[in-house]
Amino acid sequence: MYKLIVLPGDGIGPEVIVEAVKVLQAVEQKFDLRFEIEEHLAGGACIDVHGVPITDETVSCCKETGVVLLGAVGGPKWDDYPLEQRPEKALMRLRRELEVFTNLRPVTVYDRLRNYSPVKPELLKGVDILIVRELTGGLYFGEPKKIEKWNNEERAVDTMVYTTSEIERVSVAAFEAARKRKKKVMSVDKSNVLATSKLWRKVVIDVASHYPDIELQHMLVDNCAMQLILNPSGFDVILTENTFGDILSDEASVFAGSLGMLPSASLGIGKGMFEPVHGSAPDIMGKGKANPVGAIKSLAMMLRHSFGEDSAANSIENAVSDVINAGYVTADLTAEGLKLESTSEMGDRIVDQILTS
Ligand code: NAD
């Protein structure tokens, strides 16, 4: 029996999580596995009931179980709350407390959808990128972080800080991942300007010495932003720090045709948090338009990384690929030649494909 915590969250979060849970039930049936699911509130939904974005009790359950599947949090209702009380704080707190320092964001382009990305289809042939982003350090967490009075004006300070061990552990994750792929790591930094990037490059080179089978290259982040568009199929694993990874992974998400397609995994020692990369999409909430594929593929990543159930994970990913390449899509990808499905119809198709293949 495997145990997991499910945090549906806000907006379309609950809608896509329902589909992921449907898929999990299909996996139970097909692979004779058992999952115990405990559901908790997070984000705005939790603020409305408990006055905080996540309760201490939920955080303890997540830490104890070590496996969390999350929908999305946030929405206009809570936009004016002070920074500390906003729904997104639930994510920051969970990432910090679970110490999930490695974020994996795979970007796959399905052949059938190559025409639907704003990037030219011929550039997208064979694109299969894994972005490995450091998640608990750097600019987003460094102290001091403040806005203060300064002479006759205000001054804001953020701090970008990395230690050797923080860089080492995420680099190891990237090299290990590359071993199961095309054996190429592109480390992205800004070492011509930033001290943190100088240390980053030095530590990555040290770690690479333990992986002679992996080809390591370095690229400055501004150049990487450009090369990603010019030659996306030239990348395999991209390893980078928190802020650069945040930006580059959103850039790369465009290749997949819709934000709704993309999964993510945030991994620490014995802990994992799995969530689609999209937000709560309040503009389409409750309309049956949400694409559940990112959430369903996040579930596949959970099965692989937290439970070691590779066959079940592969079966989900193959089913998604078969359904999409057969031309079934949700409203975010609709176009001539494709067949429009609602959120739940898409989930049902993927379930059928798992059970019948
Ligand atoms: P968003 O990702 O929610 O939406 C951006 C656009 O993509 C919207 O047009 C939306 O309709 C579309 N979209 C997103 N997911 C989709 C899906 N699965 N299927 C179809 N279309 C989809 O980003 P936003 O609009 O900037 O933010 C909305 C709220 O979500 C904000 O409160 C923001 O803070 C929050 N947010 C949460 C997370 C998270 O929980 N991890 C991430 C990003 C944003």
Side-chain angles (χ1 to χ4, degrees):
M1 167 83 80
Y2 294 122
K3 194 169 169 188
L4 63 139
I5 305 289
V6 170
L7 307 174
D10 307 315
I12 62 165
E15 299 169 35
V16 295
I17 287 295
V18 164
E19 302 312 312
V21 170
K22 251 193 251 177
V23 167
L24 191 62
Q25 285 159 352
V27 162
E28 282 189 311
Q29 200 179 322
K30 175 151 181 163
F31 293 90
D32 198 20
L33 298 171
R34 292 293 162 264
F35 296 92
E36 187 188 325
I37 298 177
E38 203 178 292
E39 195 174 308
H40 288 249
L41 294 174
C46 189
I47 293 175
D48 287 350
V49 176
H50 299 293
V52 287
I54 192 159
T55 62
D56 293 344
E57 190 216 335
T58 298
V59 173
S60 307
C61 290
C62 291
K63 283 168 84 170
E64 198 186 309
T65 311
V67 186
V68 180
L69 180 66
L70 182 125
V73 296
K77 185 175 172 192
W78 307 280
D79 273 354
D80 295 331
Y81 280 55
L83 221 52
E84 273 310 301
Q85 290 161 27
R86 286 182 54 134
E88 292 78 3
K89 272 284 153 188
L91 296 183
M92 300 296 269
R93 183 165 172 206
L94 274 177
R95 284 175 189 170
R96 197 182 58 240
E97 298 226 14
L98 293 175
E99 287 184 74
V100 283
F101 51 83
T102 297
N103 183 237
L104 304 181
R105 281 203 190 186
V107 179
T108 316
V109 178
Y110 297 104
D111 274 345
R112 190 69 190 249
L113 298 183
R114 266 202 282 141
N115 286 320
Y116 303 97
S117 164
V119 178
K120 286 182 189 148
E122 59 271 26
L123 292 177
L124 293 177
K125 196 166 174 18
V127 167
D128 180 10
I129 301 171
L130 177 67
I131 299 185
V132 180
R133 165 189 168 196
E134 201 290 326
L135 199 62
T136 51
L139 205 49
Y140 295 175
F141 290 90
E143 294 288 346
K145 176 185 279 295
K146 58 184 173 183
I147 301 177
E148 61 188 3
K149 293 271 176 256
W150 186 257
N151 298 329
N152 290 327
E153 53 182 347
E154 285 184 300
R155 178 175 94 138
V157 180
D158 289 294
T159 303
M160 190 162 186
V161 54
Y162 271 109
T163 61
T164 307
S165 56
E166 284 176 319
I167 303 169
E168 259 168 16
R169 61 190 187 176
V170 70
S171 302
V172 166
F175 282 97
E176 289 292 334
R179 270 204 171 140
K180 297 183 189 139
R181 297 172 51 94
K182 291 181 214 141
K183 298 189 168 36
K184 279 165 55 177
V185 171
M186 178 66 76
S187 174
V188 176
D189 60 37
K190 187 74 182 166
S191 61
N192 53 344
V193 180
L194 298 175
T196 41
S197 281
K198 284 202 170 68
L199 182 65
W200 182 276
R201 200 174 272 216
K202 177 172 165 281
V203 175
V204 172
I205 290 171
D206 285 349
V207 172
S209 66
H210 300 286
Y211 294 88
D213 51 324
I214 308 293
E215 179 195 333
L216 169 67
Q217 289 184 299
H218 305 274
M219 195 176 265
L220 297 177
V221 63
D222 38 355
N223 186 26
C224 183
M226 189 171 69
Q227 295 303 329
L228 259 178
I229 300 294
L230 292 176
N231 182 24
S233 63
F235 291 89
D236 178 20
V237 174
I238 294 177
L239 163 64
T240 192
E241 63 85 48
N242 204 344
T243 309
F244 300 160
D246 194 5
I247 298 166
L248 293 176
S249 51
D250 270 21
E251 182 187 345
S253 73
V254 171
F255 304 150
S258 162
L259 212 50
M261 297 292 290
L262 297 167
S264 80
S266 304
L267 307 175
I269 309 289
K271 306 259 193 293
M273 208 172 131
F274 303 86
E275 52 181 316
V277 308
H278 61 75
S280 59
D283 53 330
I284 56 165
M285 174 187 166
K287 296 181 177 160
K289 288 183 170 179
N291 185 341
V293 165
I296 291 169
K297 288 181 75 174
S298 301
L299 174 76
M301 293 185 87
M302 181 189 86
L303 290 168
R304 178 174 296 120
H305 292 284
S306 284
F307 300 133
E309 294 290 349
D310 286 17
S311 305
N314 293 339
S315 144
I316 294 174
E317 287 162 354
N318 291 338
V320 168
S321 171
D322 290 346
V323 166
I324 288 171
N325 283 330
Y328 296 101
V329 291
T330 40
D332 48 325
L333 285 160
T334 184
E336 218 180 296
L338 295 176
K339 294 159 230 164
L340 177 64
E341 298 281 67
S342 69
T343 307
S344 63
E345 286 167 343
M346 193 69 180
D348 290 343
R349 282 212 181 270
I350 294 167
V351 163
D352 283 349
Q353 190 64 28
I354 290 169
L355 294 177
T356 55
S357 59

